[in-house]
Amino acid sequence: MTLKAIIFDMDGVLVDSEGFWVKAEMDVFSSYGVQITDELAAQTKYMTTQEVTEFWYEKFPWENLNVSSVEQEVVSRVIDMIHSEDCAMDGIKEFIKTVKEKEYKVGLATNAPLRVADAVLEKLQIRDYFDAIHSSEFEIEGKPHPAVYLTSAKKLGVEPEHCIAIEDSYSGLKAAKEAGMRTVVFTNDNATLDFDLADFKILNFKETLLSVL
């Protein structure tokens, strides 16, 4: 099948930001009386920010602030860290530039809110390389539901079977697969990481994707 578009996940693919979310959620939710445990936190790992905030509110309801306000506080903390920390994945800008030079359409499909995506694209100075940017906040469900990928393909004007998604998680790979796309798992140099849902694997963005592209 002819490849026409490459769609990137964001957290864990464009930027090494998982720790930012963990810290922001810990700081903000704890300040409202949420008792975060590793066991409960593990259940929220691949949720959207809204889903995470609703999860903790149901467990430890806080007063005086609505769920949306607390969610935006978490998002703002993450954006602050994106702006202030060195978080770009090694080689990512050059990789995307090469993809664009090969005349593939380029998309972004993320569970994170759009304003976080805006901060990342600004930080990495790669916005101009993207033909479509989409967030699960505009869908009824986030990944592993395929909606964010289906909408991304539609925005790109490319049928899902002509797209390939680059992801770092099972949840994201499942979303892309259910959308009808081929998949690449990016492991950030973890050679032991593997997923059956991935059609291809790359350890880092200094490698070439010649077998895919």
Side-chain angles (χ1 to χ4, degrees), residues 126-151:
I126 56 174
R127 180 181 295 279
D128 290 347
Y129 296 132
F130 284 82
D131 300 292
I133 299 156
H134 190 53
S135 162
S136 291
E137 73 174 311
F138 302 110
E139 304 289 352
I140 295 173
E141 291 184 62
K143 302 172 189 178
H145 193 280
V148 70
Y149 273 112
L150 290 169
T151 301

Side-chain angles (χ1 to χ4, degrees), residues 6 15-16 23 35 45 53 55 60 68 72 83 88-89 99 106 108-109 114 135 147 149 156 161 178 198 209 212:
I6 299 172
V15 284
D16 190 2
K23 182 171 178 14
Q35 298 171 28
K45 190 171 184 182
T53 310
F55 174 90
F60 303 96
S68 179
Q72 292 309 313
H83 284 315
M89 288 293 180
V99 165
V106 178
L108 177 67
L114 188 60
S135 162
Y149 273 112
L156 290 168
E161 60 264 31
E178 291 195 358
L209 256 181
V212 180

